[in-house]
Amino acid sequence: MTKVLFVVSATDRWTLRDGEVHPSGFWGEELAMPHKIFTGAGWEATIATPGGKAPTLDRLSMSRTAGRPSKLREVAAHLASMKGELNAPRSLDTIDPDDYDVVFYPGGHGPMEDLAVDPVSGALITRVLASGKPLALLCHAPAAAFAARNPDGSWPFTGYRMTGLSNLEEKLNSFGRRAIWLLEDRLRERGAHYAKARLPLRPFVVVDRNLYTGQNPASSERLAERLVSDVADVAEAATGAR
């Protein structure tokens, strides 16, 4: 059985440039839909957060501006089915990434507040990227990559093609215009080869080696489905080689 680890932000806020604290957390669709797709494929899912703190749902992710009513109902229903897992996540510092076949980071603004500077998460990401196992970062979650370091202090993601929420998409929110930093800008500055869809808010996924990234909430299902397909292909190839 394929085992997937979800690493979820534990914060309930995002600090803006003027010092205002904006309520935040994880984005509902970005956790619920991949979890639903993975478990529907027979995968075993584990949720972990910094300190084992129950993650906070960003209420904006369930507002009428966040998606179609039918999609929001689907997200809400699946999050309700995950209540036990969400209320009692594993503490990230107890996780051995070797126990998992796939590691998945959902977004929301939360990762920009805590995972971007979390050394435990950074070490885990560095190790998974080097292992060759699939590592997936969705929407704002590529921010978690900034805590990763190679033994020589260099950034492990230099030269990787990747995506994440674009500057334009961030600025569609009035509060996003007051961000301390923007994900697209920082990915480029750090040495990633950033790519994005021609139109904002459309599904867009980039795969480079074992790194899988999705641009925005609309990319949640496409990213998860690509992972399920690729993991199945690898398993089939391994079986045929025996």
Side-chain angles (χ1 to χ4, degrees), residues 63-107:
S63 67
R64 62 183 181 180
T65 61
R68 303 186 313 274
S70 59
K71 175 59 66 179
L72 295 176
R73 288 193 295 270
E74 184 180 8
V75 169
H78 194 73
L79 290 175
S81 76
M82 298 169 59
K83 185 176 181 180
E85 297 171 71
L86 291 171
N87 287 343
R90 292 275 306 276
S91 180
L92 194 56
D93 60 5
T94 69
I95 293 293
D96 182 348
D98 291 342
D99 292 338
Y100 300 91
D101 305 293
V102 178
V103 174
F104 191 100
Y105 280 65

Side-chain angles (χ1 to χ4, degrees), residues 101-150:
D101 305 293
V102 178
V103 174
F104 191 100
Y105 280 65
H109 286 107
M112 296 181 75
E113 184 80 12
D114 63 352
L115 296 176
V117 294
D118 188 291
V120 175
S121 174
L124 184 146
I125 283 182
T126 304
R127 187 168 163 186
V128 175
L129 188 69
S131 75
K133 294 180 180 179
L135 170 65
L137 309 171
L138 177 57
C139 195
H140 287 97
F146 299 134
R149 295 287 184 279
N150 286 320

Side-chain angles (χ1 to χ4, degrees), residues 154-228:
S154 61
W155 194 47
F157 294 86
T158 298
Y160 274 81
R161 291 184 64 251
M162 58 196 304
T163 190
L165 199 79
S166 69
N167 290 350
L168 176 59
E169 289 168 322
E170 189 69 88
K171 292 176 182 178
L172 291 175
N173 295 309
S174 60
F175 60 86
R177 299 168 194 162
R178 292 182 283 136
I180 296 174
W181 49 270
L182 296 174
L183 181 61
E184 176 184 341
D185 286 345
R186 185 162 286 190
L187 287 171
R188 293 182 188 277
E189 290 165 2
R190 293 297 300 273
H193 297 308
Y194 179 85
K196 59 185 175 182
R198 293 179 62 185
L199 297 174
L201 306 179
R202 302 298 300 166
F204 188 71
V205 170
V206 173
V207 180
D208 186 350
R209 289 158 277 185
N210 62 315
L211 177 64
Y212 292 69
T213 50
Q215 182 175 329
N216 46 37
S219 306
S220 301
E221 292 176 68
R222 182 176 294 183
L223 180 60
E225 289 164 354
R226 175 66 185 270
L227 283 160
V228 169

Side-chain angles (χ1 to χ4, degrees), residues 5-90:
L5 173 68
F6 283 87
V7 180
V8 184
S9 169
T11 192
D12 61 359
R13 65 194 61 201
W14 183 37
T15 305
L16 302 178
R17 186 172 59 246
D18 56 8
E20 179 183 340
V21 173
H22 183 77
S24 187
F26 71 88
W27 200 258
E29 181 177 358
E30 296 177 30
L31 177 56
M33 296 313 298
H35 187 279
K36 183 175 183 179
I37 289 168
F38 295 152
T39 55
W43 292 14
E44 179 183 313
T46 299
I47 295 174
T49 66
K53 181 181 177 182
T56 298
L57 172 66
D58 188 328
R59 298 311 307 176
L60 283 179
S61 71
M62 303 307 295
S63 67
R64 62 183 181 180
T65 61
R68 303 186 313 274
S70 59
K71 175 59 66 179
L72 295 176
R73 288 193 295 270
E74 184 180 8
V75 169
H78 194 73
L79 290 175
S81 76
M82 298 169 59
K83 185 176 181 180
E85 297 171 71
L86 291 171
N87 287 343
R90 292 275 306 276

